[in-house]
């Protein structure tokens, strides 16, 4: 399932609808809908906030491979931004040491199984897999 | 849809989906909080990092003033998000 999504924050409901439709068509456990929405929102929001303003939409494709979701987000015109190289967020330590930003990428890394970035012909391409089986939350 | 309301300056009730597009609406409310407050997540289905950032900034500010937020009635998804973010160590969660 694939959709071109206008690159602005007003498009978040379009992503929610795409995910809902994907889950419905594939009869998937809706308990995983929010984690999928979170991952896509965080990656898409980064493209909107840190990329160049553009009329070019972001292409989002969702595919099922066994019990895993495979998603690809393609930003057709944007500054290079390899999020896999982004430093890890500090999520322990006392309140005053905690930084406000950086949680989005941390949450993406927490929920996905694999996350890859590729730069190709001026496009940022992010590919991820996410298990649609019960997830383990670390203690 | 996202709804946020304050009751008696001591309780904030959230409902719906708190995604990045709702940041300004939420920030206006949380920036006004001055004292101890319970944030009720009972009717909130979803949150993303934007919401976490606002909660964290509010907790830092209130903590400097000797008080803080209590978070209540989180669903399973939001509980998972908060554990991944390490929020269980810096917020009182019911």
């Amino acid at each position: 399932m694939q959709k071109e999504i206008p690159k602005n924050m007003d498009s978040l409901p379009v992503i929610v609808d795409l995910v809902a439709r994907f889950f419905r068509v594939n009869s998937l456990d809706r308990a995983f809908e929010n984690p999928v929405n979170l991952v896509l929102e965080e990656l898409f929001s980064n493209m909107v906030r840190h990329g160049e303003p553009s009329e070019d939409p972001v292409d989002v494709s969702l595919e099922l491979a066994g019990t895993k979701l495979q998603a690809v987000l393609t930003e057709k015109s944007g500054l290079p931004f390899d999020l896999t190289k982004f430093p890890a967020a500090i999520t322990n330590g006392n309140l005053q040491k905690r930084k406000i930003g950086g949680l989005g990428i941390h949450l993406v890394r927490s929920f996905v199984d694999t996350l890859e970035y590729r730069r190709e012909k001026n496009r940022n391409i992010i590919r991820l897999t996410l298990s649609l089986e019960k997830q383990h939350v670390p203690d | 849809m996202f709804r946020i309301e304050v009751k008696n300056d001591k309780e904030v009730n959230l409902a719906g989906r708190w995604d990045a597009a709702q940041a300004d609406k939420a920030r206006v409310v949380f920036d006004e909080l001055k004292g101890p407050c319970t944030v009720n997540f009972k009717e909130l289905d979803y949150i993303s990092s934007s919401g976490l950032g606002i909660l964290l900034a509010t907790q830092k500010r209130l903590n400097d003033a000797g008080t803080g937020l209590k978070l209540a009635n989180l669903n399973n998804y939001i509980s998972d998000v908060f554990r991944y973010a390490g929020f269980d160590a810096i917020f009182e969660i019911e």
Side-chain angles (χ1 to χ4, degrees):
Chain A
M1 194 172 282
Q2 175 267 338
K3 192 162 184 68
E4 292 197 328
I5 300 182
K7 196 169 132 183
N8 61 68
M9 296 304 277
D10 292 336
S11 294
L12 293 182
V14 179
I15 296 176
V16 173
D17 285 345
L18 176 68
V19 172
R21 201 156 37 95
F22 182 81
F23 270 68
R24 196 167 54 243
V25 161
N26 291 286
S27 303
L28 298 173
D29 183 349
R30 294 199 63 199
F32 295 95
E33 210 166 310
N34 274 339
V36 172
N37 273 317
L38 174 73
V39 166
L40 295 180
E41 175 187 328
E42 300 295 350
L43 295 173
F44 180 82
S45 296
N46 267 334
M47 289 176 173
V48 172
R49 273 193 240 109
H50 301 299
E52 294 167 328
S54 171
E55 298 283 324
D56 290 326
V58 174
D59 189 281
V60 176
S61 78
L62 306 177
E63 203 176 303
L64 198 59
T67 58
K68 286 188 192 269
L69 166 76
Q70 290 183 343
V72 181
L73 288 84
T74 303
E75 184 183 12
K76 294 177 186 177
S77 54
L79 299 169
F81 180 66
D82 184 354
L83 77 167
T84 64
K85 301 251 184 332
F86 205 76
I90 296 173
T91 56
N92 52 21
N94 68 33
L95 178 63
Q96 296 315 319
K97 287 192 174 148
R98 294 290 303 265
K99 289 186 183 171
I100 306 293
L103 282 172
I105 293 179
H106 171 75
L107 290 174
V108 169
R109 287 174 177 153
S110 299
F111 277 102
V112 303
D113 293 339
T114 64
L115 185 67
E116 298 164 17
Y117 167 84
R118 192 169 89 244
R119 178 81 178 168
E120 186 182 283
K121 294 178 188 169
N122 276 346
R123 300 180 305 170
N124 289 318
I125 302 171
I126 297 173
R127 184 184 300 270
L128 65 97
T129 60
L130 189 155
S131 174
L132 300 177
E133 291 180 311
K134 190 168 168 59
Q135 296 214 344
H136 167 66
V137 179
D139 291 329
Chain B
M1 195 181 64
F2 175 63
R3 289 194 321 278
I4 179 169
E5 65 162 357
V6 181
K7 276 176 68 175
N8 306 318
D9 290 330
K10 291 201 180 317
E11 189 173 324
V12 177
N13 292 322
L14 305 173
R17 298 184 86 256
W18 184 357
D19 64 21
Q22 311 303 328
D24 290 343
K25 186 175 180 178
R27 194 175 290 115
V28 162
V29 173
F30 279 92
D31 281 354
E32 289 300 308
L33 299 178
K34 305 255 185 308
C37 192
T38 296
V39 186
N40 187 358
F41 286 73
K42 189 171 178 206
E43 292 183 43
L44 192 74
D45 299 321
Y46 172 91
I47 194 169
S48 61
S49 69
S50 164
L52 267 61
I54 291 170
L55 289 169
L56 179 58
T58 304
Q59 187 73 331
K60 281 172 168 273
R61 178 174 60 77
L62 292 180
N63 195 245
D64 283 345
T67 184
L69 299 176
K70 188 187 298 186
L71 312 181
N73 303 312
L74 280 56
N75 67 23
N76 289 337
Y77 159 75
I78 295 177
S79 293
D80 286 351
V81 168
F82 280 24
R83 287 181 77 180
Y84 281 133
F87 273 23
D88 45 348
I90 56 176
F91 286 92
E92 187 182 342
I93 299 179
E94 289 178 355

